[in-house]
Structure formats: structure tokens, C-alpha cells
Amino acid sequence: MNLILLGAPGAGKGTQAEIICKELNIPAISTGNMLRAAVKAGTEYGLKAKAAMDAGDLVSDEIVIGILKDRIKEPDAQNGFILDGFPRTVPQAEALDAMGVTIDKVVEISVADEKIQQRLSGRRVCESCGNSYHVDFKPTKVEGICDACGGKTVIRKDDEPATVLDRLKTYHEKTAPLKDYYAKQGKLVTVEGQEGIEETSKLTLAAIEG
């Protein structure tokens, strides 16, 4: 089962991806984590990605697809995978189709902009391993310390209020058209994001299996 999760920044895609992985025993491939790993490693694509992110731009298709192609060849992705954060634009979706990657279902998690702004202001990310937390919805056991690796958790520049407004604007302009693209292929299902993670998970798994 090859899946794509769509939704505005902060809609809960990463959290739902983790839950779906455990249920279906397939890896979640977060382009954010892939890009951060490439930036940290200082690879050719990583340096290009860093320059784009520092300028507040979307990372180019060439960079993302280069990193993604390598990732889906790995053994753990042979029975399927979930893409979180890719494709972000219709040209990227077309490039994915051109790569011969079959997508079985596209799940959109729909959340109002106002709720997203509230959610993102509480988000914290581990500097070391990239794990994501939230002060209200998914707190760390010890404040400021990652449960997984003991690294320090911080507010990403992406989650600062002014940046959030810009990201939402970019999402509505560039990413929302993907809904039409996949709806025409008969692959799109929409899930209304709930307050609780578990409620959203139930709806999401039902949409995938339905």
C-alpha cells in the first residue's frame, strides 16, 4: 500500500503517519526528515536544500526527487510506504507518476487555518533526531528533552507565527491543487482532523481501508 498524506502544515500528518506505519508495517517517509538528514550530512542535495530553506523557499523538485528516489529503493519500503510532505505541487505529483511510483491512496487531513496556527505555536522538534512533539498534544516526558534520544527540543523557525502564515499561504496556493489532481484519478479521500489524535487515527485508518 503506497500512500500520500496531504494537509496543511500542522494538520497532524507526521503523527498520523507514525500510527499508520505501525498498523500497516510500512515506513513513513517524511521529506522534512530526509531533507534535514541530507542538510546535516552536508550532501550536495543537502546544501542546495539548506540554501532554499534559509531563503524561505520551497526546496526544488530536483533536490527532493533525488533524495526520495534513493529512499524508496531501501528494503523497508518494498511492501509500501507513506509519503509525508511530498508531493507539494502538481508538477511534483506528475514527476512521481513519471518515476513509475504507483500511489494507491491519497489521504487529506483537513484542519482550519486558525486551529493550525494554535497547534504550530506549541510544536517542538528535537535538534538531534528530528522527532516532533507538542507542548499540549504530545509533550516530552521531561520538558525540553527528546524522549527518543535525549536531545534538546526547540521551536523550529518554520513554526514561528509569521512563518506559519507564509507557509499556510504557500500551501493554499501550491499544494491544495493536488486535491483535484488526485481526485481526478479517484485516489483522494478526505478526513476531518479531530481534536484528539486517536479520533483522527480511527477516521484515517477507516479511509485507507475503505
Side-chain angles (χ1 to χ4, degrees):
M1 180 73 91
N2 298 342
L3 303 168
I4 290 173
L5 285 183
L6 286 183
K13 298 186 301 294
T15 304
Q16 292 308 320
E18 282 176 30
I19 293 163
I20 295 163
C21 294
K22 286 174 186 154
E23 288 288 328
L24 302 183
N25 197 25
I26 56 178
I29 300 177
S30 158
T31 47
N33 286 347
M34 278 196 321
L35 289 170
R36 278 189 283 280
V39 167
K40 200 170 178 183
T43 64
E44 180 194 347
Y45 284 126
L47 293 172
K48 287 180 182 174
K50 185 177 189 305
M53 289 190 280
D54 287 349
D57 296 331
L58 283 178
V59 177
S60 79
D61 298 354
E62 175 215 347
I63 294 168
V64 179
I65 290 170
I67 297 171
L68 182 64
K69 268 183 169 174
D70 292 338
R71 178 65 187 87
I72 62 177
K73 285 177 189 160
E74 290 178 25
D76 67 337
Q78 297 315 298
N79 293 327
F81 52 82
I82 303 166
L83 292 184
D84 168 16
F86 187 89
R88 285 181 192 266
T89 61
V90 171
Q92 286 180 345
E94 290 168 348
L96 203 59
D97 288 344
M99 272 167 64
V101 178
T102 304
I103 298 299
D104 299 303
K105 229 165 224 184
V106 178
V107 182
E108 181 212 1
I109 299 173
S110 178
V111 179
D113 284 6
E114 300 74 46
K115 282 192 179 173
I116 281 174
Q117 286 165 277
Q118 175 204 343
R119 285 183 182 185
L120 290 185
S121 63
R123 190 151 80 169
R124 302 290 182 271
V125 176
C126 175
E127 281 184 321
S128 303
C129 72
N131 270 12
S132 190
Y133 301 94
H134 194 283
V135 291
D136 298 320
F137 309 122
K138 192 187 173 187
T140 50
K141 293 188 180 81
V142 180
E143 191 178 336
I145 303 293
C146 174
D147 293 351
C149 76
K152 183 181 165 195
T153 60
V154 294
I155 297 182
R156 278 171 37 200
K157 186 171 180 288
D158 275 0
D159 296 335
E160 291 169 3
T163 315
V164 169
L165 287 173
D166 283 345
R167 291 174 72 203
L168 285 170
K169 183 167 174 279
T170 300
Y171 174 76
H172 291 303
E173 286 173 4
K174 303 246 178 99
T175 307
L178 283 169
K179 291 189 278 187
D180 289 339
Y181 181 83
Y182 286 115
K184 282 173 188 161
Q185 294 184 9
K187 294 176 180 176
L188 182 74
V189 287
T190 298
V191 171
E192 291 295 329
Q194 307 296 305
E195 285 301 322
I197 290 171
E198 280 180 26
E199 289 91 339
T200 306
S201 297
K202 278 180 194 161
L203 293 172
T204 305
L205 287 165
I208 290 166
E209 288 157 7

